[in-house]
């Protein structure tokens, strides 16, 4: 009789330990899945921020290149106009300096 009670208690203890281990494992798996989801979300957020920053820098670089081309064209126009017009050593409305 005592052997049956001892066997039943041992079986119940082993079953309880197995159930406890299973629950603990399920908890660890849920925690790992949550960590993976958080990491993926952070990666997506960081990549979106990185892409936005790169896009902004590229746009700034293009704007600087356009401004440089505009300034170069303006300088060429001014240089061409200065080369085309005569240069007076004095202001034309002040009369002859001699």
């Amino acid at each position: 009789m005592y052997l049956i009670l001892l066997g039943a208690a041992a079986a119940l203890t082993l079953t309880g330990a197995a159930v406890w281990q299973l629950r603990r494992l399920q908890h660890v798996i849920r925690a790992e899945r949550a960590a993976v989801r958080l990491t993926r979300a952070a990666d997506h957020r960081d990549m979106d921020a990185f892409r936005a920053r790169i896009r902004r820098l590229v746009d700034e670089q293009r704007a600087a290149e356009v401004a440089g081309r505009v300034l170069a064209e303006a300088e060429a126009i001014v240089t061409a106009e200065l080369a085309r017009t005569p240069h007076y050593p004095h202001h034309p409305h002040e009369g002859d300096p001699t």
Side-chain angles (χ1 to χ4, degrees):
M1 176 79 168
Y2 289 116
L3 286 177
I4 294 174
L5 287 176
L6 187 62
L12 189 59
T13 303
L14 290 175
T15 304
V19 168
W20 182 76
Q21 286 283 8
L22 180 64
R23 299 280 173 130
R24 193 174 73 155
L25 182 60
Q26 287 172 342
H27 177 73
V28 169
I29 289 172
R30 279 194 298 271
E32 285 294 321
R33 286 180 181 164
V36 167
R37 284 193 301 269
L38 287 173
T39 303
R40 284 182 184 164
D43 287 345
H44 286 296
R45 183 199 62 215
D46 292 346
M47 283 304 293
D48 289 342
F50 177 73
R51 286 183 186 118
R53 183 176 180 200
I54 294 297
R55 195 175 312 117
R56 188 172 52 250
L57 290 174
V58 167
D59 290 343
E60 289 175 6
Q61 181 66 30
R62 286 181 183 157
E65 289 173 0
V66 168
R69 285 195 301 261
V70 167
L71 286 175
E73 290 176 15
E75 184 179 0
I77 291 170
V78 169
T79 302
E81 284 299 312
L82 287 175
R84 194 173 64 89
T85 58
H87 295 290
Y88 296 104
H90 65 281
H91 193 276
H93 298 292
E94 293 178 0
D96 192 13
T98 57

